[in-house]
Amino acid sequence: MGVEAGAQAARARALVVLRIRSRALAVALLPAAVAVILLAGAATGRLVGPGWDAARWLLTPVAVLVLLAAAGIALVVARARPAMSPTIPITEEAAPDLYRMVRDLADRLEVPAPSAIALTPDCDSWLEDRTHRAHGPPPAEEHDDIAGGGRHPHRRHPVAPVLVIGSPFLWWMRVGELRAVLAPVVAGTGPSAHPDIAAARRFVRGLDAAVAVASAPERRPVSRAVLAGVGWVARLLLRSCRVYAAEMERGVAAAAAERAQAVDYGLRIVAQEQVGLAYAGWDRLLTRVALPAWRMGRWPSRLDAGVVAALTELSRRDRLAEGFASRLGERPACDLLEEPGAVDEAASLLAARLFHGGPAGPGPDWSPVGWSEYPEEVVDRKWRIDAARLHRVLDAMGVRPAPGSTAPGTGGPTLSRVLDHLTDQAGAIPFAARSPEPPPDDEEDLSGTTPRSATLAARLSAELSREETTATPSPSPATTSAATTSAAATSPAASTTAASPPTSSPATPDLAALWDDRTFPLFPLQPPRTARELLADHLTAMICCAAMDTAGATPGLDWLDGPTLLHNGERTADLAPKVLTLIEDGDSTPLRAWLAELGIRPEKPVRLG
């Protein structure tokens, strides 16, 4: 370990954590030590008498019980599987240039090289220790060569942590920028290799994993009672060393940052701006573009490539991002991969599983979609499915088209039917409801709407909930079989996942499946949509369907805003305020004027999904 002040502080805090471990061991051994003294005194004839005999009979069973409990707790802590981040493993054959860059960077920093590289569908990078036996031992011929320890394969050497890189960085950043961003991360392998810090981290991870084991549901009463005691002890020890462990990690980070100052320091300042920009573009792409596709059972297969398009579009719109697109002429970091397309597809599938949930591989209800197919396969279908749901709810409510609102000789669903129903007119014709109107579940969300809007929004929310309950996508039989085989062979933790690209791709090893579907999604992107938002989305979808069927409009994809309506090749604007005016005030005049301006005929029937 280097002489950085942060490294010395981290080692000092690690020693405190280890002292807490030693004290816990001493407390567990204390009754046994007293019992041994009492028994030795009886054997030598020094501690004899009724009082000493009673003490021996009392303390010996207690010492045995305490030893058994301590051994059980230690066994749970040692065997509990620490959580591992869901990642895409990248072999050296799949990215020799990337491994070479990381190894050269470690040599410049004079620290051990990471044992392996993995990608995560997030805008972050870190080191992760995967030396626990449950994570599977790394091949010596592969990782020892990376870490510089392949000369003595028969001896056991400390394995360096795995370098996890955010996949959006590889597509948006240039090679030099990625090297500058990774410098302080790779520098962390130096302090991590210190025996005291490594031992303290293993102890804390073991306690955390033991708490997770004790908190697992579906236990038998006896097991639940035993593990409750284990969990109580583990939580007590975690609370005792929490502050020191946090200070140890801060010291490691400070030491890594100090060591990395000598490598590409000026470029790192510029690269940090790209980190913030990539995060903004990635978040916008997931919430506005990917999420609508995921909700329909489709997952975009080139999310990382979409980040570049989204950030390039942002640089055109936002003056703060001017100049960033000019970097695109330099070599992108994704060129360090042998098959960036296959890696992008694997990362896109993992992102869909992490942020939305779904099967581990493609299937009839969970298939990939390319960006060129997105407008037709996702946007058009989404609008027509939402419009069909809107009319089904109106049918259930007994809503009839107003006289003169439809074209003669047509009986199909029309936009006029929706507008007439939501318009607050004096002396409006009442509709005969086939069932009592349910009270809105979210009165605060619908407080600013008209009674008819509130009722329709509540009905839409209930209908969508029923559809999601009865039509949850399930993995295909082949995927399920593969996941079962993988789980039986590797026995990973419930929270430990990995994703693999299609079997035809040699870019990454075929890990078959993510291991536990019950844990997904781990990070839901957005809270469930409110009833007001659902009504606005369905009304907008109906308007877009009418525009496509009566005015020649087409579905489109906006990289920053998601599904959009194109009229005469240009994006339409100012629709959302007019939809909200109809929902909140019952006034359809602004919306009807907007429809007339674009030549959209609301009385014409539309094709539904």
Side-chain angles (χ1 to χ4, degrees):
M1 186 170 64
V3 297
E4 295 88 359
Q8 300 300 328
R11 181 176 180 273
R13 299 304 184 273
L15 292 176
V16 176
V17 173
L18 296 179
R19 280 196 293 269
I20 293 175
R21 184 186 65 177
S22 300
R23 290 169 186 167
L25 180 61
V27 169
L29 295 177
L30 181 60
V34 175
V36 169
I37 294 173
L38 292 176
L39 294 174
T44 58
R46 294 179 179 275
L47 303 178
V48 295
W52 293 111
D53 292 339
R56 275 188 290 272
W57 280 102
L58 177 64
L59 285 178
T60 300
V62 172
V64 172
L65 291 176
V66 171
L67 281 179
L68 291 176
I73 294 173
L75 184 63
V76 172
V77 172
R79 294 180 61 88
R81 296 182 289 263
M84 187 173 71
S85 303
T87 56
I88 306 296
I90 302 296
T91 64
E92 187 165 6
E93 292 78 9
D97 292 341
L98 179 60
Y99 272 77
R100 190 177 303 111
M101 185 195 75
V102 172
R103 190 182 295 115
D104 294 342
L105 183 59
D107 291 340
R108 293 175 61 185
L109 295 169
E110 298 180 353
V111 297
S115 60
I117 298 176
L119 299 184
T120 181
D122 198 4
C123 293
D124 199 1
S125 298
W126 66 88
L127 294 173
E128 187 166 293
D129 187 359
R130 298 182 178 179
T131 57
H132 195 275
R133 61 176 65 91
H135 297 156
E141 67 274 12
E142 182 176 295
H143 296 294
D144 287 345
D145 179 71
I146 297 175
R151 290 166 297 182
H152 304 286
H154 62 280
R155 297 179 56 187
R156 183 177 179 180
H157 296 277
V159 179
V162 174
L163 174 62
V164 181
I165 306 174
S167 62
F169 292 163
L170 288 175
W171 268 258
W172 175 244
M173 289 187 174
R174 310 298 98 180
V175 173
E177 294 170 347
L178 180 65
R179 182 175 59 247
V181 168
L182 293 181
V185 182
V186 175
T189 60
S192 300
H194 193 276
D196 294 334
I197 295 178
R201 283 177 166 176
R202 284 196 301 270
F203 177 60
V204 173
R205 284 197 306 271
L207 292 177
D208 183 71
V211 171
V213 170
S215 303
E218 300 179 1
R219 298 282 186 182
R220 295 176 180 175
V222 177
S223 301
R224 192 182 304 115
V226 173
L227 290 176
V230 175
W232 181 84
V233 174
R235 290 186 185 92
L236 178 63
L237 292 176
L238 274 178
R239 285 194 296 268
S240 301
C241 61
R242 177 185 302 166
V243 175
Y244 304 107
E247 292 177 353
M248 177 186 69
E249 297 299 339
R250 283 195 291 268
V252 170
E258 183 178 352
R259 180 176 288 268
Q261 286 182 355
V263 179
D264 298 329
Y265 181 74
L267 183 59
R268 193 180 317 132
I269 298 177
V270 179
Q272 287 300 326
E273 299 178 358
Q274 303 304 320
V275 171
L277 189 63
Y279 183 85
W282 180 250
D283 180 73
R284 196 74 175 249
L285 184 72
L286 293 183
T287 56
R288 301 295 182 89
V289 179
L291 188 58
W294 293 341
R295 286 171 173 164
M296 296 184 59
R298 307 295 299 272
W299 49 278
S301 58
R302 293 293 185 270
L303 282 179
D304 292 311
V307 171
V308 180
L311 293 177
T312 304
E313 179 67 18
L314 178 63
S315 67
R316 290 198 312 106
R317 298 185 190 180
D318 192 348
R319 289 183 298 176
L320 296 176
E322 285 183 356
F324 288 147
S326 61
R327 308 161 33 262
L328 300 181
E330 305 174 14
R331 185 191 183 192
C334 64
D335 280 358
L336 300 175
L337 304 173
E338 288 295 301
E339 296 187 14
V343 175
D344 192 1
E345 184 171 352
S348 300
L349 177 58
L350 180 57
R353 302 214 65 206
L354 287 178
F355 301 117
H356 184 71
D365 299 323
W366 187 244
S367 56
V369 60
W371 293 126
S372 59
E373 305 164 349
Y374 188 95
E376 291 294 331
E377 295 293 330
V378 176
V379 180
D380 184 84
R381 287 184 55 205
K382 174 184 181 300
W383 285 342
R384 297 193 185 278
I385 290 175
D386 287 352
R389 184 183 300 112
L390 177 60
H391 279 278
R392 284 200 307 271
V393 172
L394 291 176
D395 292 338
M397 294 172 58
V399 177
R400 297 287 183 267
S405 61
T406 59
T410 61
T414 64
L415 176 59
S416 293
R417 180 193 188 191
V418 183
L419 299 182
D420 294 339
H421 174 69
L422 293 179
T423 301
D424 188 8
Q425 298 175 344
I429 300 176
F431 59 88
R434 299 181 182 176
S435 59
E437 297 298 336
D441 294 331
D442 192 348
E443 295 182 359
E444 182 178 353
D445 173 60
L446 299 173
S447 58
T449 62
T450 63
R452 288 191 172 186
S453 295
T455 301
L456 182 57
R459 290 294 190 95
L460 280 172
S461 180
E463 175 70 15
L464 187 61
S465 299
R466 283 192 295 269
E467 292 179 6
E468 292 176 350
T469 302
T470 58
T472 302
S474 58
S476 61
T479 302
T480 304
S481 175
T484 304
T485 303
S486 175
T490 59
S491 184
S495 59
T496 303
T497 55
S500 63
T503 55
S504 60
S505 169
T508 59
D510 184 9
L511 298 184
L514 297 158
W515 289 316
D516 192 347
D517 291 341
R518 295 172 298 177
T519 61
F520 291 97
L522 294 180
F523 313 103
L525 286 179
Q526 292 179 338
R529 288 175 291 179
T530 63
R532 183 201 297 259
E533 293 171 341
L534 283 175
L535 178 57
D537 290 345
H538 284 71
L539 181 55
T540 301
M542 185 63 201
I543 295 171
C544 293
C545 290
M548 291 187 294
D549 292 345
T550 67
T554 57
L557 168 61
D558 187 279
W559 290 108
L560 298 177
D561 296 328
T564 186
L565 182 67
L566 301 179
H567 187 264
N568 293 330
E570 297 182 358
R571 179 185 175 186
T572 58
D574 302 329
L575 176 58
K578 297 172 176 58
V579 170
L580 290 178
T581 299
L582 175 59
I583 294 174
E584 296 173 355
D585 303 330
D587 183 10
S588 63
T589 304
L591 180 56
R592 291 182 185 275
W594 185 86
L595 296 173
E597 181 181 354
L598 296 183
I600 302 173
R601 302 184 61 181
E603 74 281 0
K604 290 287 187 179
V606 299
R607 178 173 59 87
L608 303 181

